[in-house]
Amino acid sequence: MSTEPHSVDALAALAAVIESRLPAHGGDPESSYVARLLHKGPDAFLKKIGEEATEVVMAAKDADHGGDKTHVVYEVADLWFHSMIALAHYGLRPADVIAELQRRVGLSGLQEKAMRKVKAREAETAANQTQGTT
């Protein structure tokens, strides 16, 4: 998967701004929307992610019926932005998501999903074995 360098740079630059708004970095909820969401905790930014995902769906449905396709771009940008807030909260970066997408290149979606199920079963088995030994 080829990623445009300027796209990665733009994501990294935005991620740096978002990270600077983390409470641990002195983000001020009185002067920053991002700091306010982070200060309120996961429920606030997770709710926004849900709202933005719904708006992506609505914009896409409108585009399917002759609406302006650029609205899909605007709504996906909002979704990505709020998702990046979640990434920052959990100590993750856009580069982590890009690495995961690159890992998936060449895998069919069905293969990737099957591998996730196998890993989940293995983790559950390991957890059950650990509980049985304590």
Side-chain angles (χ1 to χ4, degrees):
M1 170 184 272
S2 173
T3 306
E4 298 283 332
H6 63 278
S7 300
V8 174
D9 292 345
L11 288 174
L14 179 56
V17 171
I18 291 170
E19 288 171 17
S20 76
R21 303 303 200 271
L22 286 164
H25 296 153
D28 180 8
E30 297 298 319
S31 63
S32 166
Y33 170 75
V34 172
R36 188 174 314 133
L37 278 179
L38 289 164
H39 180 76
K40 289 180 180 179
D43 285 349
F45 59 77
L46 295 174
K47 179 179 177 185
K48 285 300 294 180
I49 290 170
E51 290 171 5
E52 298 304 340
T54 300
E55 290 174 12
V56 169
V57 171
M58 291 169 35
K61 290 286 195 181
D62 288 346
D64 283 341
H65 298 284
D68 187 349
K69 292 178 184 179
T70 60
H71 289 160
V72 177
V73 173
Y74 301 148
E75 298 304 340
V76 170
D78 288 345
L79 177 60
W80 285 14
F81 176 77
H82 288 89
S83 295
M84 289 175 67
I85 292 171
L87 288 172
H89 174 80
Y90 296 109
L92 301 166
R93 295 189 168 173
D96 298 315
V97 176
I98 291 167
E100 174 60 16
L101 291 171
Q102 288 174 329
R103 183 192 68 77
R104 294 180 186 186
V105 170
L107 286 177
S108 81
L110 296 175
Q111 287 173 320
E112 198 280 329
K113 188 173 181 178
M115 284 181 11
R116 275 190 280 152
K117 284 184 179 180
V118 168
K119 287 182 181 179
R121 271 184 266 158
E122 288 172 353
E124 184 178 335
T125 299
N128 288 338
Q129 289 173 349
T130 301
Q131 288 176 354
T133 59
T134 56

